Amino acid sequence: MQLREGSGAVGIMGGSFDPIHLGHLVTAEQARADLGLDEVVFVPAGSQPQKPQHTTPSELRYLMTVLATAANPAFSVSRLEIDREGPTYTVDTLRSMRQSRPNDQLFFITGADAILNILTWKDAKECLELAEFVAATRPGYDLHRLESEGLREHVRILDVPALAISSSDVRKRFADDRPVRYLIPLEVEQFARKYRLYRDGSDAA
Ligand code: NAP
């Protein structure tokens, strides 16, 4: 796609980041390089209407995301969703980003399994118009699932081997007292231990 003069390309990395792990960071860096992005803005999700189960308080997920991304000059973290009252909808985030960056090309990057449900999201059609969607996939991911939802032509695929790491596995490791080192940044591990996150396993699934 041709960029307008004076415009940039921005990746919007959407996710719960509960907690953020190296798979997310590798995804963002790979997207930056492969898509020629000027920057990647991580947007930790606020409260999600389609996700009734327990998630870690948004402020703590935000702070872990800041700790994990601080050293990369191309990465930043937005409070857009966690400061928003009520449920979080991606369409509101994309409208707001479009308003603040009228000339930039926007790419919304998230997990392929999340994108599989996009047709059930609020104002799904508008979402697909406001940004190009990038589905990060784990090794062995069955792309037919995107095809069967009719999404393949609307979505770019980013194959990220490091996404063998998952937040649910990291949470379970904390609960089972197994190592998380080299799966999440050391600062995130220290923060999670300090605030005693993920210890009782109630949020491990
Ligand atoms: P999720 O259902 O918790 O995650 C689905 C899968 O995608 C998991 O395997 C997850 O792995 C992976 N994933 C999530 N974010 C990722 C990322 N940035 N990069 C690579 N893999 C990622 O999904 P979620 O985290 O709650 O939501 C994902 C995004 O979709 C958020 O921005 C959310 O706001 C948006 N969303 C919007 C609506 C709506 O507007 N109605 C509804 C649902 C979701 P990990 O667990 O390891 O991250």
Side-chain angles (χ1 to χ4, degrees):
M1 182 178 287
Q2 203 71 29
L3 289 183
R4 270 170 277 180
E5 205 174 327
S7 67
V10 181
I12 303 163
M13 186 69 178
S16 299
F17 305 124
D18 193 14
I20 188 163
H21 54 67
L22 294 189
H24 296 129
L25 296 169
V26 171
T27 299
E29 184 61 9
Q30 193 171 316
R32 191 193 62 72
D34 289 5
L35 303 171
L37 306 178
D38 300 293
E39 56 176 314
V40 179
V41 183
F42 287 68
V43 185
S47 87
Q48 286 176 248
Q50 293 169 337
K51 204 169 204 181
Q53 75 267 35
H54 173 83
T55 51
T56 305
S58 53
E59 193 66 39
L60 298 182
R61 291 184 288 107
Y62 167 79
L63 288 172
M64 288 190 281
T65 309
V66 169
L67 286 172
T69 55
N72 190 325
F75 290 175
S76 62
V77 188
S78 165
R79 296 188 61 92
L80 207 53
E81 293 195 359
I82 65 163
D83 283 346
R84 191 179 296 144
E85 297 278 321
T88 288
Y89 295 108
T90 296
V91 70
D92 297 325
T93 303
L94 293 177
R95 282 176 188 150
S96 169
M97 294 289 273
R98 167 54 64 224
Q99 207 168 24
S100 59
R101 300 159 183 269
N103 294 319
D104 287 347
Q105 191 179 355
L106 304 181
F107 292 86
F108 187 81
I109 309 155
T110 194
D113 280 340
I115 285 183
L116 267 182
N117 296 321
I118 192 179
L119 297 177
T120 68
W121 294 7
K122 182 170 174 253
D123 299 327
K125 191 166 171 282
E126 189 182 342
C127 285
L128 291 166
E129 283 164 5
L130 284 165
E132 290 204 33
F133 273 65
V134 181
T137 60
R138 299 193 147 90
Y141 189 86
D142 182 5
L143 290 175
H144 288 104
R145 298 170 67 195
L146 285 168
E147 268 154 31
S148 62
E149 294 295 325
L151 289 170
R152 189 65 187 81
E153 68 197 90
H154 297 289
V155 174
R156 290 182 192 227
I157 307 297
L158 196 67
D159 191 17
V160 186
L163 275 180
I165 304 170
S166 73
S167 295
S168 57
D169 177 58
V170 170
R171 292 196 295 272
K172 194 159 183 342
R173 283 167 174 269
F174 272 110
D176 297 345
D177 209 14
R178 285 185 294 131
V180 294
R181 185 151 297 184
Y182 310 123
L183 299 176
I184 60 177
L186 185 56
E187 296 83 353
V188 173
E189 177 180 355
Q190 290 167 334
F191 184 94
R193 294 202 189 283
K194 176 175 171 179
Y195 288 96
R196 305 172 72 79
L197 304 180
Y198 314 122
R199 286 170 57 101
D200 66 5
S202 63
D203 50 2

